[in-house]
Amino acid sequence: MYTENPLHDLSYLCKQIHESLQLPVYCLPVENVQAEAFWSVRLPPHPFFSDPAHLFRSVVSQGPNLNGPIIHETNFMEQFIVLPVRQNCHCQAVIVIGPAIRQKLNAEICSNLLNDYGFLNPERIRWINYWNNLPVVNRLRMLHIGVLANWAINQEALEITDVFQSSLQYGSPHRQKEKVELALAHRREFSIFHGGIEGANHMLALIRTGNKTELMKRLAGATYGETGGLSKRSHLRSVKNLAICGVAISMRAAIEGGLYEELSYTLCDMQIQHIEELNEVKMVEAAAIQAMLDFADRVDQHRKDNVSKPIYVCKEYIYRHLFGEISPQKLSELSGLTSEYLSQLFKKETGLTLMNYVQRERIEEAKKLLAHSNETISAIGTRLTFYDQSHFIKVFKKHTGITPKQYRNRIQSN
């Protein structure tokens, strides 16, 4: 790779990588710190490091021990390529490419992340400005950058899977695999989610078939003596982790049982958010059980409404697009049936025409919004694509026998 002046060659390659990718590149020779070099492209001020070199030195620390390029990600959403420069099995230098961020962070993610570290307002502003000015490079592109830079500098051909695997292993605690194997050999856990594969499979099968009654009996007999140690420092955190795992696999069982994917994922997200907000073990366990029973109950209701695959596809599409336009042509395309035959089949299997079914589902959604939100009646009608408020009121009364206002007043009075 090198000619008579290795540092000059390396400097040239780094400069070309920087100019091609328009990302910062830092190079630190292992035996000559004074020869460090840095190529920057409008790097925004870092909230922690006034000197960019300090940021890169913090990333480089384990670089000489690496066998190949990795993606290094910090707790603050920054990602770097760390690449050891090797000659004759010895690390001559370490190159860092970055920082970049995987995606633009919305306000909610920024706020939650900053809350985790207890940052006050001046620091929060600095971090938000920093994130907003970092280049956006998704993980797949970063992996390709690692492969390309490694080939240019070390003349070694890798696949992105090689870089990804090395990145996952980077920074893992020493002897972690051995610890896991020992824990599996010696640990006894008694909980609804760690009661043995046979018991877990049986409960998932009950969710998959919508057998809520039998599932409830099974859950009622579960023991909670010794909860699995998924957190070394907090029993509550450990129980939450187990509960979240249980909710997630219950969701998959519900989807396999026929529950709409969008509905299943939304329920799962909401249940996990609820669990995270709880501060008592017994409440976490109760929430996890309720979530599993809810999935089973919804699968049961869905199975009672047994329809053919084309009608199922249409009903799922309608569920996912209640707040947008739903055309018979689109449903015909999704189902693979002609519009005329689809209309006949839909009426035969559901008892409703396509458009009446869409109207009914929108009214059911409107009832939820009237009961659980403070939105105006007009705004709810507009969200659900009714022409105007009078049209919304007319259709609502057709399906419920009362007006939206009467419905809301009745709910509030109860």
Side-chain angles (χ1 to χ4, degrees), residues 187-195 219-229 235-236 238-239 242 281-282 285 289:
R187 194 171 69 184
R188 293 183 304 153
E189 297 177 347
F190 301 93
S191 75
I192 57 173
F193 306 121
H194 285 67
L219 291 170
T223 23
Y224 295 92
E226 206 179 302
T227 307
H235 178 65
L236 175 63
S238 199
V239 174
L242 288 170
V281 168
K282 64 180 181 180
E285 291 174 346
I289 291 172

Side-chain angles (χ1 to χ4, degrees), residues 228-245:
L230 295 189
S231 171
K232 292 182 177 180
R233 302 186 180 206
S234 167
H235 178 65
L236 175 63
R237 180 70 260 168
S238 199
V239 174
K240 282 187 178 183
N241 290 344
L242 288 170
I244 290 168
C245 291

Side-chain angles (χ1 to χ4, degrees), residues 199-261:
N201 284 340
H202 181 57
M203 281 195 287
L204 293 176
L206 294 173
I207 295 172
R208 200 176 294 118
T209 56
N211 193 338
K212 181 180 178 181
T213 302
E214 195 60 36
L215 177 63
M216 196 175 298
K217 292 178 183 176
R218 183 85 184 184
L219 291 170
T223 23
Y224 295 92
E226 206 179 302
T227 307
L230 295 189
S231 171
K232 292 182 177 180
R233 302 186 180 206
S234 167
H235 178 65
L236 175 63
R237 180 70 260 168
S238 199
V239 174
K240 282 187 178 183
N241 290 344
L242 288 170
I244 290 168
C245 291
V247 171
I249 61 175
S250 298
M251 176 200 71
R252 294 305 311 172
I255 292 173
E256 291 167 5
L259 199 62
Y260 298 148
E261 284 192 19

Side-chain angles (χ1 to χ4, degrees), residues 363-380:
I363 295 304
E364 288 302 310
E365 194 68 26
K367 286 162 67 176
K368 296 173 189 174
L369 294 172
L370 288 165
H372 303 296
S373 80
N374 294 320
E375 287 189 75
T376 65
I377 291 170
S378 176
I380 291 171

Side-chain angles (χ1 to χ4, degrees), residues 177-191:
K177 184 176 180 180
E178 181 181 341
K179 291 179 182 178
V180 169
E181 295 303 324
L182 287 172
L184 290 173
H186 298 296
R187 194 171 69 184
R188 293 183 304 153
E189 297 177 347
F190 301 93
S191 75

Side-chain angles (χ1 to χ4, degrees), residues 1-3 6 84-93 153-154:
M1 181 185 90
Y2 297 122
T3 57
V85 180
R86 294 196 169 275
Q87 268 193 324
N88 302 320
C89 299
H90 295 291
C91 182
Q92 305 296 318
I153 290 170
N154 290 320

Side-chain angles (χ1 to χ4, degrees), residues 136-184:
V136 177
V137 182
N138 64 39
R139 176 184 280 168
L140 184 60
R141 187 177 163 217
M142 284 295 280
L143 290 169
H144 280 294
I145 289 171
V147 169
L148 178 64
N150 189 63
W151 171 254
I153 290 170
N154 290 320
Q155 293 293 291
E156 178 188 26
L158 297 175
E159 299 291 334
I160 61 170
T161 49
D162 299 322
V163 181
F164 190 38
Q165 183 66 34
S166 297
S167 302
L168 294 175
Q169 294 171 350
Y170 172 67
S172 295
H174 182 57
R175 299 179 64 200
Q176 178 66 17
K177 184 176 180 180
E178 181 181 341
K179 291 179 182 178
V180 169
E181 295 303 324
L182 287 172
L184 290 173

